[in-house]
Amino acid sequence: MIQIYFYKKNFDAQKAERFFKERRVQAQMIDLSRVPMGRRELESVKARVGLDALIDKEGAAWKECPARFAAGEEAIFAALLENPKRLKLPIVRNGKLATVGYQPEEWEKWL
């Protein structure tokens, strides 16, 4: 099953949901403000897309984050876990496959 991690009012998450609905593919919507992403889940996505792709570098939560100056990946990863608003969204998972942001070309390959 497709999982879409999002925050309300995230335009790309709304487009992702619509993408799968139009193709009649069931997708589980997971609101990160209610259900934070676990360490293992985020590690799985990181393994697929890389740490840099997970960071919403344009968002205020990241710009105000002291860990963005940290040298180590672990500090940055911990900062993303601590505040999911630092993540680039939506995160879309299909088993071991994952994407970050709006990526309909990649999702088409999954169908």
Side-chain angles (χ1 to χ4, degrees):
M1 175 186 286
I2 304 291
Q3 296 175 313
I4 302 173
Y5 294 86
F6 73 101
Y7 272 106
K8 290 189 188 245
K9 299 183 182 180
N10 180 286
F11 186 63
D12 284 342
Q14 293 170 0
K15 292 191 311 184
E17 182 180 22
R18 186 171 50 248
F19 173 90
F20 290 106
K21 276 187 178 179
E22 287 173 353
R23 287 153 183 83
R24 297 187 177 149
V25 174
Q26 187 175 8
Q28 178 184 18
M29 300 297 292
I30 302 167
D31 184 349
L32 290 172
S33 65
R34 295 176 184 223
V35 182
M37 198 172 217
R39 176 176 275 280
R40 286 188 181 170
E41 290 171 305
L42 193 56
E43 284 175 347
S44 171
V45 174
K46 181 183 107 174
R48 179 73 177 141
V49 301
L51 181 64
D52 197 52
L54 288 172
I55 303 168
D56 181 7
K57 294 180 181 174
E58 301 301 315
W62 180 250
K63 289 179 180 177
E64 297 169 359
C65 177
R68 68 190 172 114
F69 300 110
E73 277 193 18
E74 187 53 42
I76 294 170
F77 188 77
L80 295 175
L81 274 174
E82 175 188 307
N83 185 350
K85 289 191 176 188
R86 296 174 179 149
L87 293 167
K88 184 172 182 174
L89 298 174
I91 295 173
V92 181
R93 292 183 63 197
N94 181 13
K96 293 186 179 187
L97 301 175
T99 61
V100 176
Y102 183 69
Q103 301 209 14
E105 299 84 18
E106 189 66 26
W107 304 332
E108 275 295 340
K109 296 176 190 175
W110 297 355
L111 304 179

